[in-house]
Amino acid sequence: MKVKTFVKIAVCGFSVLMIACSSIDTAAIENKVDSYHSGYQEGSLLDSFFKQDDFDTSTHSGFFPLKRGHDAFLARLALIESAEVSLDLQYYIYREDETGQLLTWRLYEAAQRGVKVRLLLDDFQKRSDRSLARLNAHPNIEVRLFNPNQFRSVRGVGMATDFERLNRRMHNKSLTADTVASIVGGRNVGNEYFSFSSAVEFGDLDLLLYGNTVEQIADQFDLYWNSDFAVPVEAFEPNVTARTDEEVQAWLLNPG
């Protein structure tokens, strides 16, 4: 009886694992195409705003500390809303709360006006693959997950069976607009990082950067983006369509 019970449990567990793995589209991984930043956008709105003649920005960088959560969030929104060619974002935590939803909405608006958006998220945090895939379905938006858990619905199994790999996380945090300006620092994306309606307040510091450091940040983003560890989100949610205009309006009225 004990042997039969063990066999039933083993079969059941194996079935769960097969279901968890069944949605992975390996073709999406095999057909992944490398992409790279477009370089400093001369003549762009951000170039006009930051440009100065006091220093050689090929060898120097300027920075402005973003100490307060509100300032850090508004600075991110300002870069997104000012971008004309490209936006590259790389984050460890990207919550689906109010600040995360607002940031995503602004990214969507940027994509609608023709900006190329690349969003690289560490996969330690559990998110809605389908929501990310629908965002990714926009022709100007690409979403990739760094070092993803192969078991999407039973993620604990992945940690138990593949801990050495899955314990290697991407803690990088950057937002780069038109390769002209970047924000880097300690803040992830979430209410508790931006002084918004949260019982927890993290005392982080970000820097708004302009100059030669920005292209270095863009180069390191490309290294992560094109690495074997960065997996297109469509590998986990294939054949997903982009949100319609009506769905976007409904989303704005009731984010989620």
Side-chain angles (χ1 to χ4, degrees):
M1 181 65 68
K2 289 183 179 181
V3 173
K4 289 183 178 179
T5 300
F6 175 79
V7 170
K8 289 181 180 179
I9 292 174
V11 170
C12 181
F14 180 74
S15 299
V16 169
L17 295 184
M18 290 302 292
I19 292 172
C21 291
S22 61
S23 62
I24 297 178
D25 182 3
T26 56
I29 301 173
E30 294 168 356
N31 297 327
K32 183 179 75 170
V33 178
D34 289 352
S35 64
Y36 300 88
H37 68 84
S38 302
Y40 187 97
Q41 294 303 304
E42 191 86 31
S44 65
L45 180 63
L46 287 171
D47 171 48
S48 299
F49 181 80
F50 284 100
K51 200 166 189 177
Q52 48 75 51
D53 300 318
D54 295 335
F55 298 97
D56 179 3
T57 54
S58 66
T59 56
H60 291 80
S61 288
F63 67 91
F64 183 82
L66 300 169
K67 299 178 182 179
R68 299 193 304 175
H70 290 153
D71 293 338
F73 186 61
L74 291 174
R76 284 168 169 81
L77 291 181
L79 289 188
I80 292 172
E81 292 172 11
S82 301
E84 298 177 12
V85 175
S86 65
L87 285 163
D88 292 333
L89 293 86
Q90 184 176 13
Y91 283 102
Y92 174 61
I93 294 173
Y94 194 115
R95 301 204 187 284
E96 296 178 316
D97 53 17
E98 289 87 348
T99 54
Q101 291 279 348
L102 180 54
L103 209 66
T104 301
W105 175 32
R106 294 304 194 203
L107 291 174
Y108 180 87
E109 285 188 324
Q112 284 287 83
R113 64 176 186 267
V115 177
K116 296 293 184 182
V117 178
R118 296 188 296 176
L119 179 60
L120 179 60
L121 302 176
D122 186 85
D123 192 54
F124 186 77
Q125 174 193 344
K126 185 177 181 181
R127 308 179 183 87
S128 168
D129 288 344
R130 185 166 184 82
S131 293
L132 289 176
R134 297 205 70 184
L135 187 66
N136 178 78
H138 191 287
N140 287 329
I141 301 177
E142 282 188 83
V143 181
R144 292 182 181 179
L145 302 178
F146 185 82
N147 199 15
N149 193 318
Q150 65 272 42
F151 302 113
R152 307 308 292 169
S153 57
V154 283
R155 297 169 70 90
V157 174
M159 290 299 294
T161 59
D162 199 9
F163 179 80
E164 184 177 356
R165 176 180 70 85
L166 292 177
N167 193 44
R168 299 177 181 178
R169 307 314 324 163
M170 181 194 73
H171 286 271
N172 306 45
K173 307 165 189 74
S174 69
L175 187 159
T176 301
D178 289 346
T179 323
V180 173
S182 293
I183 295 175
V184 300
R187 288 184 178 91
N188 288 287
V189 175
N191 289 351
E192 65 269 35
Y193 297 95
F194 299 124
S195 306
F196 181 84
S197 185
S198 175
V200 178
E201 178 76 21
F202 289 121
D204 284 311
L205 174 68
D206 290 324
L207 293 178
L208 174 60
L209 294 163
Y210 168 75
N212 70 320
T213 304
V214 175
E215 189 147 5
Q216 295 173 28
I217 294 168
D219 287 341
Q220 72 82 30
F221 178 92
D222 286 346
L223 288 174
Y224 278 84
W225 180 259
N226 296 318
S227 73
D228 292 338
F229 289 96
V231 177
V233 71
E234 61 263 32
F236 306 107
E237 285 285 346
N239 305 318
V240 173
T241 58
R243 294 179 186 267
T244 63
D245 291 340
E246 292 76 15
E247 287 174 324
V248 170
Q249 291 304 313
W251 169 43
L252 294 178
L253 295 173
N254 184 26

